Amino acid sequence: MAPLPEPRPAVLPLPGGRQGATVRVHPLLCGLASWPEPWAHREGGRFAKLRSIGTGVSRDSWVPVPIVAFLVEHPGAGPMLIDTGLDPVVAEHPRLSFGRILGATGGKTFTMEPGQAVPEQLRARGVNPADVKLILMTHLHYDHASGMGQFPNATFLITKWEWDAANGPMSLLHGYVRKHFVRDVDYRMLDFEGREAEPYATFGRTLDLFGDGSVRALPTPGHTHGHVSVLLRTSRLEILVAGDATYTRHTLETGHRPAHIEDERLFTRSLRALQIYHREKPDALVIPGHDLDAWRELAPVYA
Ligand SMILES: [Zn+2]
């Protein structure tokens, strides 16, 4: 397959910012998967790697995990998304979205109701999917990017590190399915080294997307090379969408790592920043990437 065009830099702030703006945040459950407990929380010992992919782990101890995305409604910029959930084809044929190998392995554990496709969920909330012009991708793994093709009018925000990893050699082995990366859409790079980056809370470099403090991208590499978390300001509280920088609340609270990490050193640094934020801002809500118990406690919308 021919390489996709290199994304251009995002020009910040994006239009639509309003001083003092707050956003409405709708957590969207896009399906469920299941994985062996040692995948989410690393074990020691000789067989740890095998057990992390389920070998020798009783099927009863696999845990259900939510596949998630977020609708964020900004008063000036309109609706945007964080991640895209799953292509509706996953409900019937995971192989058609994830490909032969992933579709037959981890992908076969996915379950999805037809109404869980993100466009359906937007319509149910009175939002026309065609009005979503902006999608911030925490990263491009297949459980976050499968639904990208449903938003052909959107600009996708990603980091260069993530883009390069997702389009690099053997990227399938790292959790990327290149056909998810739709062509003919606008990809824009977030540059945390650029002059727009500024410190916020416990994070040294953040990008204030609209220049009004309502939506900030935070670099949290480690799970993948270019992973991004997102800070959202609602009228009542601050929400930190951690993405897969921490799969679970257990990891956030104890530091217990998952089995597979692209860069251990960066993961540690990112997790530490999340942990300090969590400790210093006890009133803020930190949402881990794949924790069903934590997910069930969320409100349908935060305004
Ligand atoms: Zn994930």
Side-chain angles (χ1 to χ4, degrees), residues 14 23 34 36 96 114 129 158 217 223 238 245-246 260 275 287:
L14 300 168
V23 292
S34 69
L96 291 183
I158 38 99
H223 171 71
E238 213 167 77
T246 181
H260 297 273
Q275 289 175 315
I287 305 179

Coordinates of all heavy atoms in Angstrom, one line a residue, residues 14 23 34 36 96 114 129 158 217 223 238 245-246 260 275 287:
L14 N -6.8 26.4 17.4 CA -7.8 26.1 16.4 C -9.0 27.1 16.6 O -9.2 27.7 17.6 CB -8.3 24.7 16.6 CG -7.3 23.6 16.6 CD1 -7.8 22.3 17.1 CD2 -6.8 23.4 15.1
V23 N -16.7 22.8 28.3 CA -17.2 21.8 27.4 C -18.1 20.8 28.1 O -18.1 20.6 29.3 CB -16.0 21.0 26.7 CG1 -15.2 21.9 25.8 CG2 -15.1 20.3 27.7
S34 N -12.4 -8.6 25.6 CA -11.9 -9.2 26.9 C -10.4 -9.6 26.7 O -10.0 -9.9 25.6 CB -12.7 -10.4 27.2 OG -12.5 -11.5 26.4
P36 N -6.8 -11.4 28.9 CA -6.3 -12.1 30.1 C -5.9 -11.0 31.2 O -5.3 -10.0 30.8 CB -5.1 -12.9 29.7 CG -5.1 -12.8 28.2 CD -5.9 -11.6 27.8
L96 N -13.0 -8.2 9.2 CA -13.1 -7.2 8.1 C -12.6 -5.8 8.6 O -12.2 -5.0 7.7 CB -14.6 -7.0 7.6 CG -15.2 -8.2 6.9 CD1 -16.6 -7.9 6.4 CD2 -14.3 -8.6 5.7
P114 N -25.0 -3.0 17.3 CA -25.0 -2.0 16.2 C -25.1 -0.6 16.6 O -24.5 0.3 16.1 CB -26.2 -2.5 15.4 CG -26.5 -3.9 15.7 CD -26.0 -4.1 17.2
P129 N -23.4 13.5 12.8 CA -22.0 13.1 12.6 C -21.2 13.9 11.6 O -20.0 14.1 11.8 CB -22.1 11.6 12.2 CG -23.4 11.2 12.6 CD -24.3 12.4 12.6
I158 N -3.0 14.1 15.6 CA -2.1 13.1 16.1 C -0.7 13.7 16.3 O -0.5 14.8 16.0 CB -2.0 11.9 15.0 CG1 -2.0 12.4 13.6 CG2 -3.2 10.9 15.1 CD1 -0.7 12.5 13.0
A217 N -4.3 19.1 25.1 CA -3.6 17.8 24.8 C -2.4 17.7 25.7 O -1.7 18.6 25.9 CB -3.3 17.7 23.4
H223 N 2.9 3.9 26.4 CA 2.1 2.8 25.8 C 2.3 2.7 24.3 O 2.5 1.6 23.8 CB 0.6 3.2 26.1 CG -0.4 2.3 25.5 ND1 -0.6 0.9 25.9 CD2 -1.2 2.4 24.4 CE1 -1.5 0.4 25.1 NE2 -1.9 1.3 24.2
E238 N -12.8 19.1 36.3 CA -11.8 18.9 35.3 C -11.8 17.4 35.0 O -11.8 16.6 36.0 CB -10.4 19.3 35.8 CG -9.5 19.9 34.7 CD -8.3 20.6 35.3 OE1 -7.4 20.0 35.8 OE2 -8.4 21.9 35.3
A245 N -2.6 5.4 28.5 CA -1.5 5.7 29.4 C -1.7 5.0 30.8 O -0.7 4.8 31.5 CB -1.3 7.3 29.6
T246 N -2.9 4.8 31.1 CA -3.2 3.8 32.2 C -4.5 3.1 31.8 O -5.5 3.7 31.6 CB -3.3 4.5 33.6 OG1 -3.6 3.5 34.6 CG2 -4.4 5.6 33.6
H260 N 2.4 -5.2 28.1 CA 3.1 -4.7 26.8 C 3.1 -3.2 26.8 O 2.1 -2.5 26.8 CB 2.4 -5.3 25.6 CG 2.4 -6.8 25.6 ND1 3.5 -7.5 25.0 CD2 1.6 -7.7 26.2 CE1 3.3 -8.8 25.2 NE2 2.2 -8.9 25.9
Q275 N -0.2 10.2 38.0 CA -0.4 9.9 39.4 C -0.2 11.2 40.2 O -1.0 11.4 41.2 CB 0.7 8.9 39.8 CG 0.4 7.5 39.3 CD 1.5 6.5 39.6 OE1 2.7 6.8 39.5 NE2 1.1 5.3 40.0
I287 N -10.0 9.3 33.9 CA -10.7 8.2 33.3 C -9.7 7.3 32.6 O -9.1 7.7 31.6 CB -11.8 8.6 32.2 CG1 -12.8 9.6 32.9 CG2 -12.5 7.4 31.7 CD1 -13.8 10.1 31.9

